Amino acid sequence: MEQGGGVMAVKTMPAQAQPHHHHARARRGGVARAMPRLKTVLIAATAYVVALLFLFPYVVMLLTSLRSQESLRDVTFWPDEWVWSNLTDFWGSGLAGNLWVTIKVAAGSTVLVLLVALPAAYYAARHNFRGRNAFLILVLITQMFQPTAMVVGIYREFFQFGLVDSIWALILVNAGFNLAFAVWILTAYFSSIPRELEEAAFIDGNGRFGALFRITLPLAMPGVITALIFTFIAAWNEFVVALTLTTTTANQPLPVALNSFIGQYQVDWQNLFAGSVIATIPVIILFALIERKVVGGLTAGSIK
């Protein structure tokens, strides 16, 4: 290019060099995109390994429940003979009544916990009353108490009230030990719901209870379900207090009644595991149906 009698040389990049840079950027982009994929695969593989480790005891329990008495000492992983009658004989052994006791205790404890925890948690979340922090700390501290450490005192109290060997005693004890967790979870969830939603309901003519049942409580259902499922599972699996407070086989929950398969000189392993499988199935089904809302309830209040 000529300008003012001079010559200005303009250097241009060769056309063949440009694709080289495009390929280099493409390779770098491909590596950058491949790294998250490799990370995702490693995380997924680790998660599957951990899941298998947790599920392996349940698989062994299920396979043992389908073995015969003669094949319990076999080294093979799969039973040579599948004895399905171990599961069906459960209903004729009398343990079906104990299963019904377990359902009543777990359901009654859960209902009682929700009836007490919902108003307590709602008031603690919406009112900054004197001693509020001390109340919440006290609630958390009571969760640290173990039934085993207080089983003697619990038995003495219920003995004085004439509630030993009663389903009501088991309901009250399980509700008492799970109430603190429910109040703590529900307080965090109610605190995460904006007050403006209730104020808008007040403007529309709703009172405090109307706003609670129409606005706040439906939004708080993940937290309510979290408290429900944890209370239900804890009451379903409770053993020590139930063993102490029940004296007749008919009033024992299933976890305690299964102890009858353990004798002084022999353990009826296949029937013990068959009963354990049946006792585990309702909890697994309940948790599988609502596990998404359980996750939402546990993470409530973690992000502000």
Side-chain angles (χ1 to χ4, degrees), residues 32 112 130 234 239 299 303:
L112 184 58
R130 181 180 299 178
F239 178 81
T299 56
I303 299 177

Side-chain angles (χ1 to χ4, degrees), residues 35-51:
M35 289 303 294
R37 293 179 181 177
L38 178 60
K39 183 179 180 180
T40 302
V41 170
L42 292 176
I43 293 175
T46 304
Y48 280 116
V49 171
V50 173

Side-chain angles (χ1 to χ4, degrees), residues 189-241:
Y189 208 92
F190 282 134
S191 299
S192 67
I193 299 175
R195 296 173 181 264
E196 291 75 10
L197 296 177
E198 293 182 357
E199 294 173 355
F202 296 156
I203 296 174
D204 292 339
N206 292 287
R208 175 65 68 178
F209 286 100
L212 173 62
F213 286 102
R214 295 180 181 179
I215 304 298
T216 309
L217 198 57
L219 293 175
M221 285 309 296
V224 175
I225 291 177
T226 302
L228 182 152
I229 186 64
F230 274 86
T231 302
F232 188 89
I233 292 177
W236 185 279
N237 294 327
E238 202 284 319
F239 178 81
V240 175
V241 175

